Amino acid sequence: MCKEQLPQFIQYCEAELTTTKNNFLKAGINLTMAQVLSFGNRTELLQILPRMATLVFNDEPANTLLNQLSVKLTQRIGLVSLKPRVVNWRYKKSRQSLMGTNLSNKENNQDDDDDDDDIEISDIIEEVIERLLNALREKDTIVRWSAAKGIGRVTSRLPMDMGDQIVGNLLELFTPSETDCAWHGGCLALAELSRRGLLLPSRLQTIIPVINTALSYDERRGAHSVGSHVRDAACYVCWAFARAYQPEVMQPYVNQLAAALLRTAVFDRELNCRRAAAAAFQENVGRQGNFSHGIDILTKADYFSLCNRSSAYLEVSYFIAQFPEYCNELIDDLIYNKIIHWDQSIRELASQSLMKLTRLNVNYMQSKLEHLLQQITSTDMNHRHGCLLSLANVLLALHECNYEFSQPEQEMLISVISRIQNKKLYTGRGGELTKEAACRFIECISKSKIKLTKDVIELYKNTLDDCLKHPTITIVNGAVSAMVSFMSTHYPILMEMHRNDILKKYINALKEDDALSVRRGYILLLGNVPDCIISDSSQFESIINVLILRSKVEQEEIHRDADSRSSAIDSLINFVSHSKFFNSTNSSHSSIFQCVVDCSNDYSVDKRGDVGSFVREASMRAIDYLLTQSSSSVPVLSIQQSNALIGILLKQQCEKIDRVRDTAGKVLYRAVNADKTDFVNKLEIKEAIAEGMELIQIQIQDLSNRDPKGSLIDWSSSEITFPIMCRLLNLAPYRYDLLHGLVVSIGGLSSHVFRASADAMISFMKCNQVQVKWIAEDLIELLNQNVDEERVNVPLLKSISHLMSHDCFSCLDGDGEFCDDLIQWITQHLAVTKNVLKITYIVDILCELLKFADPVRSKALGILMGTLVNIFPKVREHASTQLYSTLQVFGDEVLGDDEELLDEVLDFLTSTNWQLKSVQLKPSVQEICAKAGFEFTVIRPPKQDPTKLRKTNRDTFTEVLY
């Protein structure tokens, strides 16, 4: 059957593959041929093999799948051409018996003793090998992987000489001129050969250095690099070596292989490579048993500890470097590879790791100083940045190890900044990175107590002053840290050079200069300035005043910067917290308190959104200090001041931004658990928080002891925060502040915040109807206090409407004070507002007021009918729709039992074209009001001076209307 069908099948394949353009059909034919070669009888397949080989070799794959199937067919053609056997020249790893004797890994195969000279190598085999070797260079991983497996399978049936030639050909792939694909394919092929025992131990001497190079392979390509797949494949090779060879075979290469794997495991940029190297190291430790300190290292460098790159660089590497066999290897890899890496984060981590490893081998690290000093003026910005940063950290580490720098070394270190400046490396490409590293160098050399001349001190100070005014915040932060250390170390000379007034320049600049770059840097500097630089208490007061000044919103919009104001608050608190001048005799306490209160009301907005939230968060950090962390030398806040600060926290904890609620919740939690702080209803707030936690099934037994910072509670979660906060509405001193935050959340656009806050508020009001009257009064007070603040009054109107729609104020039906005040406010402001959204919320409230009895209902209905002739068509349509819905439910109460009149009113609301002009609609609205007996109240805006009226763009006005 097969003899008859196979030729016909090959003929069909030849016809289709040469004529069809359907790639799916080609893939199906190739896959079928592969299965035939895999399961067919070899004797029968040999008859059609030449035709099949010609068909496969002449085909040009059009895509990745066809290319992979072509490689699969190629290797199976080679396997059919060669007689199945297990070659007797392969390396056989002995096995240990339970009796302690070695057992050979001899296969029961009649071809074991076949002579290699009897094997005939046809032209097809040579073509197969050549195509498989070329396929190792393909760009697709699945093609290279298939080719690597094919190399291993075909080699397992070849004579020893040809197998050795294939290994030689594979080694040609590991040259600098080859692509990363060739390196990856070569590693996969070597792994497959070693797994099958086809890579003889004699070749290891040549291959191990190649694998070490592959473990650090990284080629830069524009803004990124390639090579992670090569390093991963090299780890696979090392893993295969552990399973393939006896310990005595690998013994000569253990040290270099272990060091290379550990370098990759802790210092590789990619997570998969770090884990692959750790797995290969673990396999070698388990199977070879001769890796030094292998078990100890595996307990630290495990699958999870290597997940975090910072942990691998700073913790795991330090542990491994404690073993002398690996310390110098890790240091060399950092110096010659990682601190000049293309990725900035890798360079920074490498310099920090180098600082830690310096403590383990001071003498070896000292010998590397000359290399680092030579590279700091390199034209390559990566080399320059990494070496300068590493030099700074190593310098500080050597000082901490009590290393005494020689005079030539000190002179070379002191001249680093001048060398960089002379070569103008602060400008051009990489200039910002150089400035950042230079700041770190000045900081470290200052901490190292190396004596500097006045000229050098002036040079360093000018460098830092320039960096303080840089627009990049990382450079500014580095300059601030460096300036603090620089001033602390060299303040006697600085005071002498600047006549005991070093800070005058910075204080005056903040008072007079509105430049954004100047503000940010100088604000941060004054917040961290050491006491030794402050001349007297008057200068202390000057710093306090200028920081308070810069925490206020700038008058001109072009100069406004929320980040600067936030930094001013943080700097203010940081300054007073460490300054000896801030004590009970100081007069700045009230101004600091008022500054914090003012900043908590910063709701400024720019193109990024609510940037005032940054300032409010900073103010809450300041409140945290004032309530819980201020020293005993500072006077305790009064009860009134503490109450005001707690009210601020409660208000912020009810607002709509998750990040702000989280900060407020943690500060409030610490405040209620602080012994030194006292305020009204402290115990009630603490109990409400505890009850709220129990209500949402969160265990908080002894939570104040286990979680002093409140970090175990997710205060940013609206489902957790709002039910707790609504329970505090019983506390009269804080009710206004709580409602101020709640109405913004209920009236906001965020659905999850709206849902949680509204549900919590409705639930509280229905369960605590005694408090509804007081809540209503506070809501009216909020409306009156925020007449011109649309950030508050628009969501407040929406909140009132939503609460009324859920009958939260139904218990006030007999008390018309709330409704009268609400109608009075609507009457006053409906005429002057041009905000369509606000008017629609007013319409919703008026419709809800129809549920109440007269005279509230009559007044609301009159105003509502007046909105039907509002100048805005959107308002007229919305008013008609809402009034229609309300009359369908409460029509009997509004119009009595006259169903015909109700039908006529409803028909009027639905049939009227509300897009007509209000002048055209007014007669028909007045007519229906007269029939129904409704009041018709048209609220007109107050008369304005025609000379002060602003011209309105006609197109824009049309967009507002429609």
Side-chain angles (χ1 to χ4, degrees), residues 843 864 867-868 874-884:
V843 169
L864 192 58
T867 59
L868 292 175
K874 288 185 178 179
V875 173
R876 298 197 296 268
E877 285 187 344
H878 182 75
S880 65
T881 302
Q882 293 300 105
L883 181 57
Y884 179 86

Side-chain angles (χ1 to χ4, degrees), residues 172-188:
E172 293 177 0
L173 298 175
F174 301 98
T175 58
S177 60
E178 291 287 355
T179 64
D180 58 292
C181 296
W183 281 71
H184 180 251
C187 288
L188 294 178

